[in-house]
Amino acid sequence: YVTRRDDESSNDRNDRAIREVAAWYKRQLIALSAEGQVLLVTNDRRCKELAVQEGLRAMTIFEYVDSVRDHFPTAGEKLASMGEDMTAGDEDVDNEVNMDRRRKVAKVVDTSFYPAHLKQIDLVDGIKKKRFFQGTLRMFMNSCFSGAVTCHSLDGGKEVRIGGRKNLNRAVDGDVVVVQLLSAAEVAQSLRDRGKTDADFGTTSQVTTRADILAEKEVGSEPPPPKAGDSDKPEGRIVGILKRNWREYAGTLRPLHEERQKELAGGNAAKADRTFIPLDARVPNVRIATRHSSNLEGQRIVVVIDSW
C-alpha cells in the first residue's frame, strides 16, 4: 500500500502507486531471470517522466501503438478519436484537471446548435402531467430531416410530426423520444428557421463547419419544408431521448479532395476526420476519425454511432 504524502495530490499518489507496482514487477522478473520487460503505459506526461527517472520503461498509448504497428497494422484505430495533446499541459497540472477542462469545452461545443436534452426526472414528470408525450421516432423515407412520433397518450395515439434538425435534436430513426407540442406561433417560427438551417446538413459531429455545409450541398439536400397549414398533424420538438436505437449502418466515405488524398496516400497512418454517408437516407451523415483513411477509400463499410 502506498501512503499519500502531505504535499501530494490524490492523483499524484495514484500515479506513484502505479509506478511502485511496475517497479515491483520489474524486480520479480529480475529475481526469476525471466524474459520480458515491464512497460508502463500512461498519457500523463509528468508520470511518464518520473517513471523514466526511476528506471522504468514508459510510453504513452500512442507511442506504444506505433511500436507494434508493424505486427498489428490496425492497432490504434480506436485512438483516432483521441487527441495526442492528452500528454501535453503544464507539468504541475494533474491529468484529472486537464480531463475536466476538456469535458467543459466539449459540453459547450455540444450545445452550440442543438438544445440541451432535459433531465430524466423532468421528462418523467412532464409525461405524467401530459406536458410531454413519449413515442418512437420514425423518419420519413429518403429524409433525415423529417419524421413522426406516434404518441399513444395523445388523443388515443396521434402522430406528431417532427421537422428540421433542431427539432429532431440529435434523435435518429428508432429512438424512443419525448416530444413537446409546438404552438401555432412556434410552428410558424420553426418553418422560417428550418429554411435557414436545414441547408446545413446534419452530421453526428459536434461542430458543423462552413466547408461541411458546402460539401454536403453537392451531395443533396432536403426538399423545402411544408408550409404552415399543409398538414393537420400536430408538430413538435424532441426534448429528450429515453432510449437510443443506434445500430450498424452500411455506407461509404465521402471522397476527399485531391490534395487531401495525396496527404493520406501510401498507407499514411495519420489521423483523418472523414464523413460517412449511410446508404439509408433516413440516417444523418456520421463524422468518423480513422488512421486508415486511404484503406477505406471507395470501400463499403459499416459504422456504429458511439456518441452525439
Side-chain angles (χ1 to χ4, degrees):
Y1 180 78
V2 176
T3 304
R4 180 177 172 181
R5 298 167 180 167
D6 293 338
D7 60 344
E8 198 173 42
S9 69
S10 59
N11 188 67
D12 288 340
R13 180 265 168 201
N14 293 338
D15 288 345
R16 185 164 58 87
I18 293 171
R19 295 195 301 273
E20 290 283 356
V21 171
W24 183 88
Y25 276 113
K26 181 180 179 180
R27 292 194 297 270
Q28 304 312 304
L29 290 177
I30 294 174
L32 296 172
S33 299
E35 295 183 2
Q37 293 184 344
V38 175
L39 173 65
L40 175 62
V41 179
T42 175
N43 282 349
D44 188 310
R45 184 174 67 178
R46 181 60 177 166
C47 182
K48 178 189 171 186
E49 290 175 351
L50 291 173
V52 173
Q53 291 175 14
E54 295 167 5
L56 296 172
R57 185 179 176 218
M59 293 182 179
T60 67
I61 187 62
F62 304 100
E63 292 170 336
Y64 174 72
V65 166
D66 286 338
S67 71
V68 300
R69 198 176 295 281
D70 290 341
H71 300 288
F72 305 99
T74 61
E77 178 67 6
K78 291 295 185 181
L79 300 180
S81 60
M82 296 171 58
E84 297 196 30
D85 61 343
M86 289 188 71
T87 59
D90 297 333
E91 295 182 1
D92 59 342
V93 177
D94 287 346
N95 203 34
E96 289 180 356
V97 177
N98 289 333
M99 289 295 292
D100 185 60
R101 182 164 57 241
R102 279 192 291 275
R103 282 193 293 267
K104 288 179 180 178
V105 171
K107 185 176 181 181
V108 173
V109 174
D110 280 344
T111 57
S112 59
F113 175 83
Y114 296 102
H117 291 150
L118 298 183
K119 295 180 180 179
Q120 183 86 2
I121 187 172
D122 296 327
L123 296 176
V124 173
D125 182 66
I127 293 172
K128 288 181 178 179
K129 295 179 178 178
K130 303 294 184 180
R131 291 188 292 109
F132 303 148
F133 303 93
Q134 175 183 338
T136 301
L137 175 65
R138 295 301 178 191
M139 302 303 295
F140 297 149
M141 191 61 65
N142 298 323
S143 173
C144 65
F145 286 104
S146 301
V149 178
T150 300
C151 303
H152 297 288
S153 60
L154 177 63
D155 297 338
K158 203 162 189 177
E159 198 173 70
V160 179
R161 187 182 187 278
I162 312 293
R165 65 187 185 116
K166 197 163 189 174
N167 288 337
L168 286 167
N169 201 5
R170 290 163 287 166
V172 298
D173 184 69
D175 285 352
V176 179
V177 300
V178 177
V179 173
Q180 180 182 36
L181 297 182
L182 297 178
S183 65
E186 289 173 323
V187 170
Q189 183 61 48
S190 176
L191 291 174
R192 288 194 293 270
D193 293 342
R194 206 179 308 169
K196 300 175 184 177
T197 62
D198 278 359
D200 308 356
F201 193 93
T203 66
T204 59
S205 60
Q206 294 179 338
V207 179
T208 303
T209 65
R210 181 63 180 167
D212 294 332
I213 296 170
L214 294 175
E216 201 61 61
K217 284 182 179 179
E218 297 174 3
V219 177
S221 59
E222 185 199 19
K227 297 179 181 179
D230 281 356
S231 174
D232 59 353
K233 294 180 182 178
E235 293 226 9
R237 57 170 164 253
I238 292 173
V239 295
I241 299 176
L242 297 178
K243 182 181 179 182
R244 287 289 194 181
N245 190 40
W246 289 339
R247 54 183 177 81
E248 297 179 341
Y249 304 104
T252 57
L253 297 181
R254 177 195 291 156
L256 293 170
H257 296 296
E258 186 176 351
E259 295 78 8
R260 187 59 174 154
Q261 288 179 1
K262 292 178 181 178
E263 292 177 13
L264 299 173
N268 189 335
K271 172 187 171 182
D273 292 325
R274 301 294 303 270
T275 298
F276 169 81
I277 303 176
L279 289 176
D280 189 344
R282 297 172 301 173
V283 180
N285 289 358
V286 181
R287 181 71 50 80
I288 67 171
T290 177
R291 293 181 182 273
H292 300 279
S293 178
S294 58
N295 297 333
L296 299 177
E297 196 69 49
Q299 301 291 322
R300 179 66 55 81
I301 62 176
V302 175
V303 163
V304 176
I305 301 173
D306 56 18
S307 64
W308 192 8

